Amino acid sequence: MNNNNNEEQEFKYLSQVKIDTPPKSKYCFFKKNNIKYIDYKSYDFLIKFINTQGKILPRRLTGTSKKFQKKLSIAIKRARHIAILPFISDELK
């Protein structure tokens, strides 16, 4: 009897827990806030779209549209070129 309970408990831990969560819909931050121009000189704004190593976050993570991702990457590259943002870093944030 005791062995059966132990086997059942181990089986519970091995089975995958099913949780029903609705999928989050991604949205473009720029379209939602009606931003038409991305200023390459605003450090505080651009730092939101790069990770701790200094790399540009991809569209699949941020949810930005293709048009604004291109504008964002150009703005970040311009900021890097004039030394507002670093090209690479160990801990940026």
Side-chain angles (χ1 to χ4, degrees):
M1 183 78 177
N2 195 9
N3 283 340
N4 289 337
N5 286 338
N6 287 340
E7 290 176 6
E8 289 178 7
Q9 288 177 349
E10 290 177 10
F11 183 71
K12 286 181 183 176
Y13 290 114
L14 293 176
S15 63
Q16 188 176 15
V17 179
K18 293 181 180 178
I19 300 172
D20 291 331
T21 56
K24 290 183 179 179
S25 62
K26 292 181 183 178
Y27 63 91
C28 180
F29 173 79
F30 300 100
K31 285 183 180 178
K32 184 177 181 183
N33 295 318
N34 200 14
I35 297 172
K36 295 186 178 180
Y37 175 74
I38 302 171
D39 189 15
Y40 64 92
K41 293 174 273 181
S42 62
Y43 174 83
D44 294 332
F45 181 73
L46 295 176
I47 199 80
K48 296 176 187 175
F49 296 97
I50 59 175
N51 65 8
T52 57
Q53 296 172 337
K55 295 181 178 179
I56 301 171
L57 291 175
R59 288 178 52 208
R60 62 183 162 84
L61 296 180
T62 59
T64 56
S65 65
K66 185 176 181 180
K67 175 183 171 183
F68 284 102
Q69 181 71 19
K70 185 68 180 172
K71 287 183 177 182
L72 180 68
S73 67
I74 289 172
I76 289 173
K77 288 174 185 176
R78 282 182 182 160
R80 284 177 180 166
H81 189 71
I82 62 171
I84 293 175
L85 289 175
F87 279 93
I88 191 165
S89 175
D90 288 337
E91 277 195 38
L92 192 60
K93 295 179 183 177

